[in-house]
Amino acid sequence: MTVDELKKINEHFYDEVFRRRNIDAIDDLLTDDFVEHAPAPGQSPGREGVKEFIGQVLAAFPDLDLEIERVIAEGDTVAATLRFTGTHQGEFAGLPATGRRATVTMTEMTRFRDGRCAEHWGVADMAGLMAQLGAPPGGGF
């Protein structure tokens, strides 16, 4: 696959899962042996863990909007910088809904195999997000 094809597959993941809220698509978009290298605390391994975590995020921030700020691809890997914005309307990381709008940035890298996500690494500004939500220092993540 070309790097442009990988970028399109990567964007399709964001479109389908986050913008269309189709969590079940994860079964087709991730390999059977998918590895999450940066799981959230308590996140189950593999595709099921991804589905659970993204489901929790979308439930907590039902109006979540995703902006892709930058994408770089080389070989079988795509790196992206993302900006998520939404209103905290449900429990997230043990914090009850606050009704506050918040924005979090994330930088992630995904390795693809046969057109599907095989491995993922990600770093999000969770401390900044929790501060925006009014969580006490050290709370949540």
Side-chain angles (χ1 to χ4, degrees):
M1 300 194 104
T2 68
V3 292
D4 287 336
E5 290 170 328
L6 288 178
K7 287 179 182 181
K8 286 179 183 174
I9 293 169
N10 193 60
E11 184 160 355
H12 174 68
F13 177 88
Y14 302 133
D15 283 341
E16 195 63 35
V17 175
F18 286 100
R19 293 185 178 124
R20 292 188 183 98
R21 313 296 200 254
N22 183 4
I23 294 175
D24 290 332
I26 290 171
D27 289 330
D28 296 325
L29 299 171
L30 277 59
T31 61
D32 293 340
D33 60 347
F34 172 81
V35 176
E36 174 57 68
H37 292 282
Q43 180 178 332
S44 300
R47 290 191 301 212
E48 286 307 309
V50 173
K51 289 170 70 172
E52 291 166 9
F53 179 70
I54 292 175
Q56 292 168 5
V57 169
L58 293 175
F61 299 89
D63 63 344
L64 187 77
D65 183 47
L66 163 68
E67 179 183 345
I68 302 169
E69 295 184 334
R70 174 171 289 160
V71 178
I72 301 169
E74 181 177 308
D76 62 358
T77 303
V78 177
T81 303
L82 312 168
R83 179 179 307 274
F84 294 91
T85 302
T87 308
H88 184 214
Q89 298 177 16
E91 181 189 334
F92 182 71
L95 183 65
T98 63
R100 294 182 180 192
R101 290 223 14 109
T103 298
V104 63
T105 56
M106 180 171 188
T107 301
E108 59 180 22
M109 231 172 30
T110 306
R111 188 179 67 77
F112 290 87
R113 185 177 68 237
D114 300 324
R116 297 167 74 192
C117 304
E119 293 182 86
H120 175 265
W121 298 259
V123 178
D125 179 15
M126 297 310 292
L129 172 62
M130 298 309 277
Q132 290 174 69
L133 298 179
F141 280 81

